Amino acid sequence: VRDHFIANDMQLAHLNCAFPNGHDGFWISTLAQGDIGHVASDGTYKLVASGFVGCHGVRYSRELAMLYFSDSCSGRLIGIGADHTPRVLGAVDSRWLHDAQHLVGNIFALCLCDKNAIVLLDIASNSELARFDMQARGVNVQFINVMGEPVCRYG
């Protein structure tokens, strides 16, 4: 790492997330380029969206039938549905919204690195349901991943 380290501003590409699509490839997000793309099992690549500075954590929600990711520097959660048009799903008071995970219905868990907090956001009303301060756990939270069924149910 020491011999081959390339600072963020010098990188031609910065792949930060790969998420399997379940059958023939995976979705990717890139940091500085702000790209969302799909890599098929035969190696072909298709650009889906571009231009989101600090783009992180692309995932697909079967329940909502859409891709979603963090537009980190703006604190926005972005969704891309069947029409391939990026839309703001919600926004929080963060300059480094690093990761997001769809939980159930309109509820997402968001990692606000700059606030060192996890927020549960209802995208139907863009309102915070809960905010968990993670100061006691260390420097900052960056990633979130829910395994299995959510244990909390709202609504």
Side-chain angles (χ1 to χ4, degrees):
V1 171
R2 214 175 289 180
D3 293 339
H4 303 286
F5 178 78
I6 301 171
N8 281 349
D9 292 342
M10 301 298 290
Q11 295 177 20
L12 297 177
H14 183 126
L15 175 68
N16 65 39
C17 184
F19 186 82
N21 71 354
H23 51 88
D24 68 348
F26 54 94
W27 304 101
I28 64 160
S29 59
T30 62
L31 179 68
Q33 299 80 8
D35 292 345
I36 300 296
H38 183 264
V39 179
S41 58
D42 65 3
T44 57
Y45 176 75
K46 179 181 178 185
L47 181 65
V48 176
S50 188
F52 297 91
V53 178
C55 180
H56 279 97
V58 67
R59 289 188 173 101
Y60 183 79
S61 168
R62 286 189 187 117
E63 181 182 349
L64 300 177
M66 72 170 60
L67 287 171
Y68 64 90
F69 61 93
S70 300
D71 185 15
S72 297
C73 299
S74 70
R76 300 181 308 171
L77 178 65
I78 306 293
I80 302 175
D83 66 355
H84 303 284
T85 303
R87 289 187 174 80
V88 176
L89 299 177
V92 291
D93 64 332
S94 178
R95 292 287 180 205
W96 201 247
L97 175 59
H98 199 275
D99 202 9
Q101 174 78 57
H102 177 236
L103 298 179
V104 63
N106 292 317
I107 311 303
F108 282 79
L110 309 175
C111 288
L112 287 60
C113 278
D114 56 333
K115 309 290 185 188
N116 200 9
I118 296 174
V119 166
L120 296 185
L121 184 73
D122 181 343
I123 62 168
S125 60
N126 196 54
S127 59
E128 285 189 20
L129 301 175
R131 183 176 285 232
F132 304 96
D133 184 339
M134 304 304 287
Q135 298 296 327
R137 305 291 296 171
V139 179
N140 62 25
V141 294
Q142 291 187 355
F143 302 102
I144 192 163
N145 191 27
V146 175
M147 304 297 289
E149 291 295 313
V151 292
C152 309
R153 300 258 185 227
Y154 290 93

